[in-house]
Amino acid sequence: LNALDKVNWAALTQEIEAARQDWTVPGVAVGVVYKGELVYSAGFGKRNDDGEPVTADTLFQIGSTTKAFTAFGLATLVDDKKLDWSTPITSLAPVEFQDPFANKHANMIDLLTHRTGLPSHDNLMTVWSSVEEANSKIKFLKPSKEFREKFQYNNGMYNLAGWIGGKLHGSTWDDLVSDKILKPLGMTNTFTNLGNMAALENHSRGHIQRKDKSWRTLGYEDHGIVETSEGDGSMLSSVNDMAKWVALMNKKGITADGKELISRESFDAIVTPRITNGGPPSDGRQQLESYGLGWEIYSRSGKVAVGHSGGMLGYVTQVRTFPNDDIGVIVLTNAMNGFATAVSNTITNCVLFPNEPRDDFFTEAKDRAAAFKNHQEAAKKEKIEKRVNPVANLPLAAYAGKFFSEVYGYLILDGPDDDGYFKFWINGSGARTGLLSGVAGHWDSDKFGIFEVPWQDIKDYEAPDEIMVLKFQDGGCETIHLNVGEYEAVSIFRRVVE
């Protein structure tokens, strides 16, 4: 008896399309793999402003599900005796870590499991123009945790790992993934370079939803990290191609025609839990969350799951495999919200538990989004209420100028304008260009905030955005501590005299 015989595929298709229309999501492609075969696939909505339909061959940016390809490629190098998991990274690449112990002992597994002690520094990919440049800044990054103490998601470590893999392969990360995975699997519609997207047939355009619920189609230039994103999340693929990858994972590295692309020992190394990244046991569906090499490993309603999500500006991806059931679920969307996860949960519930009552994952996701919005609004209100000194310590003109950081390069503040705001740019070259730019202004005492970043559709002059805070040191105007998101001061900018 086929385990999926009881699945009503027509009803599932109708449910996904109804939800897509309700959410007004532009496009989505889905697939279900069972025993190595793509048993269900469908495209919904449009892939671009011309209204061309999404199909199972439509290309989407797959974001951080790229990490699994990087880890697999590196594991094949272990099989080839070109890499040892335990070799110190500093002996494989011209990089340094501030923590002396990490500098001596950090290995490939540490990079791939997000346990180097370094928090995320994604802006490195925005302000620099190559992976090598971004790697060279690692020595200036201050750890926020002890080495191997805590899971801290870090895209930069995957770019470093991929760069090393490319060198050990005698070429590039792109060739490593292509030679070891894409070509043997016949994944001819999967690509490793975002920069080529515009020229590729049947590709989807990314979308961001505005506050008025309308969608903005992203320009190709809005992706911004084409040169500096590789092993962490730079791939493009389709449902039909990803089905081959999911089938390979469920067959533990063995292709449909019986070829072993990776040894069982190396495959097991990939899917062995290395560090926890979840909470204590609860009554939730997802339990015992841990991270392997490029994959999350967890229990989903009692089923062993190996999966990963992917998020790029304008795209969200969900890939889940259930190895004991030989089932895989693929969801690709060209919208930046929780819809992909809701679709993945719906399909998972349908194919793994066809006899159980159906949960409304779409309503759950909407409720979560509403709760998050309420949290943001409450935080904004609190920020306004806690504002102590709306007058700057110095005349506003004193804050204008050019500042330098060993991590991010240059920060330029031009202004103030008639309303007291400054145009700002942050990039490695010091030119007034780049995506990390917009409008900054004084907020409270010695703190400046970010009020507008067109690249990310940030625009709010009632209170600064959480994207970053500029804090001038000691009430002066010579030194800026740049705080990014939830992290402490990650970079210090000092005034440059020109």
Side-chain angles (χ1 to χ4, degrees):
L1 179 68
N2 186 322
L4 303 186
D5 279 347
K6 294 182 179 180
V7 177
N8 186 334
W9 297 111
L12 177 63
T13 301
Q14 290 177 356
E15 182 177 1
I16 294 171
E17 174 58 13
R20 185 196 68 79
Q21 292 187 23
D22 180 47
W23 284 58
T24 70
V25 165
V28 58
V30 303
V32 175
V33 178
Y34 180 58
K35 292 189 174 180
E37 298 293 330
L38 183 61
V39 296
Y40 170 73
S41 64
F44 306 85
K46 63 179 185 177
R47 64 180 180 87
N48 55 28
D49 289 342
D50 293 332
E52 294 181 273
V54 170
T55 70
D57 283 318
T58 298
L59 291 169
F60 292 78
Q61 293 186 23
I62 65 169
S64 285
T65 60
T66 297
K67 289 179 171 65
F69 290 86
T70 298
F72 193 101
L74 289 163
T76 67
L77 296 178
V78 173
D79 287 341
D80 295 342
K81 308 300 183 191
K82 294 180 179 179
L83 171 68
D84 189 293
W85 292 123
S86 62
T87 300
I89 292 301
T90 50
S91 69
L92 298 172
V95 296
E96 298 175 35
F97 296 90
Q98 281 194 14
D99 179 345
F101 191 83
N103 198 52
K104 185 176 181 181
H105 296 285
N107 57 37
M108 191 60 76
I109 288 176
D110 296 314
L111 300 191
L112 299 181
T113 53
H114 308 286
R115 65 184 193 189
T116 62
L118 292 175
S120 177
H121 287 270
D122 283 354
N123 283 323
L124 285 175
M125 293 188 285
T126 309
V127 302
W128 297 108
S129 57
S130 70
V131 173
E132 290 88 346
E133 271 191 313
N135 288 344
S136 72
K137 308 306 171 187
I138 292 172
K139 62 184 176 184
F140 301 119
L141 304 181
K142 183 179 179 181
S144 57
K145 297 293 180 183
E146 293 294 326
F147 178 58
R148 293 178 181 165
E149 174 193 359
K150 183 178 173 61
F151 177 92
Q152 294 188 104
Y153 200 80
N154 193 311
N155 287 308
M157 295 302 102
Y158 264 79
N159 286 324
L160 171 58
W163 183 87
I164 291 170
K167 294 298 180 185
L168 294 178
H169 184 55
S171 185
T172 62
W173 168 81
D174 304 77
D175 286 343
L176 171 66
V177 170
S178 180
D179 294 343
K180 295 291 191 174
I181 305 170
L182 305 184
K183 288 176 181 176
L185 285 181
M187 293 177 69
T188 56
N189 196 31
T190 298
F191 305 90
T192 55
N193 189 335
L194 296 178
N196 298 331
M197 187 172 77
L200 298 172
E201 288 186 33
N202 197 358
H203 69 272
S204 65
R205 301 293 297 273
H207 298 82
I208 291 181
Q209 196 165 26
R210 302 182 180 99
K211 288 185 178 180
D212 65 2
K213 303 297 184 181
S214 65
W215 292 91
R216 175 169 77 88
T217 302
L218 293 169
Y220 296 111
E221 70 282 357
D222 287 331
H223 298 300
I225 55 173
V226 169
E227 296 88 2
T228 49
S229 172
E230 289 184 351
D232 72 313
S234 70
M235 291 177 67
L236 297 148
S237 192
S238 66
V239 162
N240 279 339
D241 259 24
M242 288 295 283
K244 300 171 185 177
W245 170 238
V246 165
L248 180 79
M249 287 301 298
N250 274 342
K251 297 300 182 186
K252 298 177 171 50
I254 298 175
T255 66
D257 56 4
K259 183 180 179 182
E260 186 179 81
L261 297 191
I262 193 173
S263 70
R264 181 60 185 270
E265 181 181 2
S266 287
F267 180 86
D268 288 346
I270 291 172
V271 295
T272 295
R274 306 282 178 170
I275 189 167
T276 59
N277 66 331
S282 69
D283 58 358
R285 300 182 191 91
Q286 202 150 301
Q287 302 281 336
L288 307 176
E289 294 168 310
S290 62
Y291 204 88
L293 307 183
W295 290 98
E296 294 179 291
I297 300 109
Y298 52 93
S299 169
R300 177 77 186 183
S301 300
K303 297 282 191 179
V304 174
V306 179
H308 211 289
S309 60
M312 295 290 279
L313 197 65
Y315 301 85
V316 177
T317 299
Q318 283 284 352
V319 176
R320 284 180 176 152
T321 71
F322 297 89
N324 294 343
D325 301 275
D326 208 349
I327 288 174
V329 177
I330 304 155
V331 180
L332 311 176
T333 66
N334 61 356
M336 207 172 168
N337 58 18
F339 186 72
T341 301
V343 173
S344 181
N345 288 339
T346 299
I347 297 174
T348 296
N349 194 242
C350 190
V351 299
L352 286 178
F353 311 104
N355 297 319
E356 293 188 8
R358 296 291 306 280
D359 292 311
D360 187 350
F361 294 103
F362 296 106
T363 298
E364 281 187 19
K366 275 191 172 182
D367 290 344
R368 279 195 303 272
F372 179 68
K373 184 179 179 181
N374 290 339
H375 170 76
Q376 285 182 309
E377 290 175 352
K380 175 181 171 180
K381 183 180 178 182
E382 182 181 10
K383 185 184 294 184
I384 294 172
E385 290 173 349
K386 286 187 173 181
R387 190 181 188 188
V388 176
N389 187 3
V391 179
N393 294 324
L394 300 170
L396 287 178
Y399 296 101
K402 197 171 190 177
F403 303 80
F404 178 76
S405 156
E406 291 172 319
V407 177
Y408 291 125
Y410 291 91
L411 161 63
I412 299 171
L413 289 173
D414 278 355
D417 62 16
D418 292 343
D419 296 316
Y421 292 102
F422 296 76
K423 289 185 178 179
F424 82 91
W425 296 265
I426 301 177
N427 65 51
S429 70
R432 287 170 172 79
T433 185
L435 293 176
L436 199 57
S437 59
V439 178
H442 176 261
W443 175 245
D444 191 4
S445 298
D446 54 5
K447 291 181 181 177
F448 275 52
I450 304 300
F451 295 91
E452 191 170 343
V453 181
W455 171 45
Q456 295 191 11
D457 273 12
I458 293 170
K459 186 177 183 179
D460 188 344
Y461 284 84
E462 292 182 351
D465 193 84
E466 293 295 323
I467 185 172
M468 65 180 75
V469 176
L470 308 177
K471 186 177 186 298
F472 282 86
Q473 183 174 304
D474 301 328
C477 59
E478 298 299 308
T479 303
I480 299 174
H481 291 250
L482 175 73
N483 293 41
V484 179
E486 65 188 272
Y487 302 112
E488 294 302 310
V490 296
S491 186
I492 295 175
F493 288 82
R494 303 187 192 280
R495 183 178 292 276
V496 176
V497 179
E498 293 185 290

